[in-house]
Amino acid sequence: MNSKTSLESLPNELLLSTLSDLPTRDLLPLVAVNHRFCSATLRILQQRLTRATSLPDHRVILECYHPAAKLSTPTLNCDYLYTDSFFSDDDKTPQETEVDITKTSLKQVYAHFKPVVRDENRRPRARYPPSSTSNAANPPQNWQRETKPTHDLYLDEDEPFSQLCAVTSVSKVGPKPGLYLSHVNLDDSVIRIKRDWLASQVGRRRGSADTPSIEDDNILWTDNTKEVGIRFRVTEIDVGAPVLLNSEEDPPVGYSLEFEELLVRASTLLMTVEKSEKQEIATEGKAIVIASI
């Protein structure tokens, strides 16, 4: 009996039991082995993802701020919304579906979260001071009165882009608000936001009948691998007319970025949650907490 025949004849219960002991990092490559391994692996990944997104004491946390406004920008907790389907079409047979999943390598499966401001993270927010040439006379908005988290960006004349630091992490909450028993960074990047992109997004609203897609250009990805993305809604801020401006220069502008959604690749999220649980076990019984800054 060859190895292929042995694998094909292995009972499903035994295969699932054996694969369930593997960490997610080792489990993911098995999707491409054959149809049976693909089916078993997807079942295990779905179970783990359901568990990971329903843990009451774990939080996905987003810190997104202009480099000059790090201390004044509130941390955002992210409420779980949904996860993309592992299957491309419910009408297909399991065998057909597994072939499709093998081709995509699960790279198109994302967990979706809604960034929100918790009471313990609310604090007055000071805009990073724009250049005096921007002529931005509007007073800062009161963060407590905002219904959705936003961040304001300003570009001086002929400034082609701005930047946002984006830190995404998975943490286990401690006994007091703002304290964590474990804290694992999922991503730490700097997003470059171009003037042209900001202008193109003003006034755009996704219709209720439209299905959100990871290909939408209103998502800013933290890097080229598209592990983490943030979906924004952009509105323009009136900064007034500049006193002196060369006809060939771009004018100073201001934009408000409303956080609509955080996207995290499902496999990356699973591996980060497992790392967080290992960190928690390693520090169990010790008086170690990580404070939210």
Side-chain angles (χ1 to χ4, degrees), residues 150-192:
T150 62
H151 197 91
D152 297 343
L153 288 180
Y154 296 91
L155 296 175
D156 290 333
E157 60 269 17
D158 230 24
E159 189 176 7
F161 64 86
S162 184
Q163 296 186 126
L164 285 178
C165 300
V167 182
T168 311
S169 56
V170 175
S171 302
K172 181 175 181 180
V173 296
K176 295 181 179 180
L179 296 178
Y180 303 117
L181 298 177
S182 65
H183 185 88
V184 178
N185 269 15
L186 194 153
D187 182 75
D188 189 343
S189 305
V190 176
I191 305 174
R192 178 172 290 188

Side-chain angles (χ1 to χ4, degrees), residues 204-221:
R204 288 192 56 182
R205 288 181 175 271
R206 191 173 65 245
S208 57
D210 294 341
T211 301
S213 168
I214 63 170
E215 302 302 327
D216 290 347
D217 63 1
N218 60 349
I219 300 175
L220 290 179
W221 298 98

Side-chain angles (χ1 to χ4, degrees), residues 22-38:
L22 296 176
T24 297
R25 186 178 298 277
D26 296 332
L27 191 62
L28 288 172
L30 301 182
V31 173
V33 172
N34 60 27
H35 293 314
R36 292 198 63 209
F37 268 68
C38 179

Side-chain angles (χ1 to χ4, degrees), residues 84 107-112 164 166 187 189-193 197 213-232 261-266:
D84 298 326
K107 290 183 178 180
Q108 305 300 311
V109 180
Y110 286 85
H112 299 249
L164 285 178
D187 182 75
S189 305
V190 176
I191 305 174
R192 178 172 290 188
I193 306 179
W197 181 86
S213 168
I214 63 170
E215 302 302 327
D216 290 347
D217 63 1
N218 60 349
I219 300 175
L220 290 179
W221 298 98
T222 58
D223 57 26
N224 293 332
T225 62
K226 294 188 176 181
E227 298 287 340
V228 177
I230 306 173
R231 191 191 303 275
F232 288 106
E261 194 174 40
L262 174 72
L263 295 81
V264 182
R265 182 168 287 153

Side-chain angles (χ1 to χ4, degrees), residues 44-60:
I44 295 171
L45 290 175
Q46 276 191 316
Q47 292 171 358
R48 290 183 181 180
L49 192 58
T50 300
R51 174 181 174 273
T53 54
S54 62
L55 291 173
D57 50 358
H58 280 72
R59 297 283 186 273
V60 173

Side-chain angles (χ1 to χ4, degrees), residues 15 46 79 95 109-110 135 162 191 236-237 257 262 283:
L15 182 62
Q46 276 191 316
D79 292 341
Q95 189 176 32
V109 180
Y110 286 85
N135 219 7
S162 184
I191 305 174
E236 191 169 5
I237 298 174
L257 277 63
L262 174 72
T283 59

Side-chain angles (χ1 to χ4, degrees), residues 14 18 28 67 73 78 91 103 110 156 206 227:
L14 183 57
T18 302
L28 288 172
T73 304
C78 300
D91 295 331
K103 290 179 180 178
Y110 286 85
D156 290 333
R206 191 173 65 245
E227 298 287 340

